[in-house]
Amino acid sequence: MSIKFLAEDDRPREKFLLKGKNALSDSELLAIIMGSGNRDETAVELARKILASVDNNWHQLSLLTVKDLMKFKGIGEVKAISIATALEIGKRRASQEIPEKPTISSSKDAYNILKIHLSDLRTEEFWALFLNQSNKVIHIAQLTQGGINQSIVDIRILFKTALEHFSTGIIISHNHPSGNLKSSAEDINITKRVKEAGNVMSIQLLDHLIITQNAYTSFADEGLL
């Protein structure tokens, strides 16, 4: 049966089978996740509307809550959870594609790893990369959640983790959901404290990255270490 003779809600699934997943548009992929549209719109039409509301950007769509998604006619709680779940699976898959022990030779290398965890969050989190003598990443960890000003990283936990993994270098990072890349006085103070503690323990602080949704600031690049 030709695709054109199928109901539009069925076409993305049939197209997937006939032509493969790479042949599907973003709206067709989202339509498959939703399964159906509403009384006035097919699944594909509804998917186009949802994607258009976020400038056809999957990262922006991932920022919508279940309640945000349910504002669209035809999106109930089950469909909204299905969409959010699919996006979370994509995020975790991207994280698992990181090489087992990537080498850090620049701030951009560190950013490419950390942005997967930090770039699309609505609250601040503090993460760290732990490196060996060859500057290979041997461990990645979240240290705090909920805001750097309200939940300052415990330096003892940071270096306890570094010692457990025999790290000789660390890169710390946190996100600014506001999009502001400028370091605050608290950011600078934490960096100073971590560097001083690292000097005592012969574990070098290599960088501190501030990450937004599509950019970053490196303390090392800015000469702030």
Side-chain angles (χ1 to χ4, degrees):
M1 181 181 292
S2 173
I3 291 176
K4 67 180 180 180
F5 292 110
L6 298 172
E8 189 165 0
D9 274 358
D10 294 326
R11 290 179 191 174
R13 290 183 285 274
E14 186 68 14
K15 186 175 178 181
F16 186 105
L17 293 173
L18 292 177
K19 296 187 176 182
K21 59 188 178 183
N22 292 332
L24 272 64
S25 66
D26 286 354
S27 57
E28 288 171 330
L29 289 170
L30 183 56
I32 291 176
I33 294 170
M34 296 190 302
S36 62
N38 56 46
R39 184 174 298 178
D40 302 316
E41 299 168 304
T42 67
V44 174
E45 289 170 339
L46 179 55
R48 289 195 194 106
K49 178 183 290 186
I50 293 172
L51 287 169
S53 73
V54 291
D55 297 324
N56 296 297
N57 187 291
W58 289 110
H59 293 292
Q60 292 293 337
L61 183 60
S62 71
L63 297 177
L64 299 186
T65 65
V66 168
K67 288 185 178 180
D68 291 333
L69 291 166
M70 288 174 65
K71 293 177 182 178
F72 293 92
K73 182 180 178 182
I75 301 295
E77 187 175 68
V78 172
K79 285 184 183 177
I81 291 174
S82 295
I83 294 170
T85 299
L87 292 167
E88 178 62 20
I89 290 171
K91 178 180 176 181
R92 295 187 186 189
R93 177 183 180 275
S95 175
Q96 290 175 349
E97 288 178 343
I98 297 171
E100 184 179 352
K101 289 184 178 180
T103 300
I104 304 298
S105 59
S106 67
S107 61
K108 185 65 178 293
D109 292 336
Y111 167 70
N112 286 336
I113 295 173
L114 289 160
K115 70 178 181 180
I116 296 170
H117 304 283
L118 289 166
S119 64
D120 62 354
L121 300 177
R122 290 190 170 188
T123 58
E124 288 188 15
E125 293 186 5
F126 199 101
W127 286 66
L129 301 180
F130 299 88
L131 286 68
N132 62 18
Q133 287 184 326
S134 300
N135 278 353
K136 291 185 179 295
V137 177
I138 52 179
H139 185 62
I140 303 172
Q142 179 198 67
L143 298 174
T144 65
Q145 185 178 19
I148 193 168
N149 291 322
Q150 291 75 32
S151 183
I152 297 174
V153 62
D154 189 329
I155 293 179
R156 294 170 299 178
I157 294 176
L158 172 64
F159 285 98
K160 177 177 180 290
T161 305
L163 291 170
E164 288 173 346
H165 293 275
F166 302 99
S167 304
T168 59
I170 56 174
I171 295 174
I172 58 176
S173 178
H174 73 282
N175 62 311
H176 281 180
S178 65
N180 180 15
L181 286 169
K182 186 176 180 179
S183 56
S184 66
E186 188 62 46
D187 298 337
I188 295 171
N189 180 49
I190 289 172
T191 305
K192 180 180 178 181
R193 290 169 56 204
V194 171
K195 182 178 180 180
E196 289 174 349
N199 290 339
V200 172
M201 306 183 72
S202 297
I203 299 174
Q204 185 179 5
L205 175 63
L206 301 172
D207 207 349
H208 182 176
L209 301 184
I210 296 174
I211 293 177
T212 63
Q213 190 171 20
N214 53 19
Y216 74 100
T217 291
S218 160
F219 276 50
D221 292 351
E222 298 294 326
L224 297 174
L225 286 184

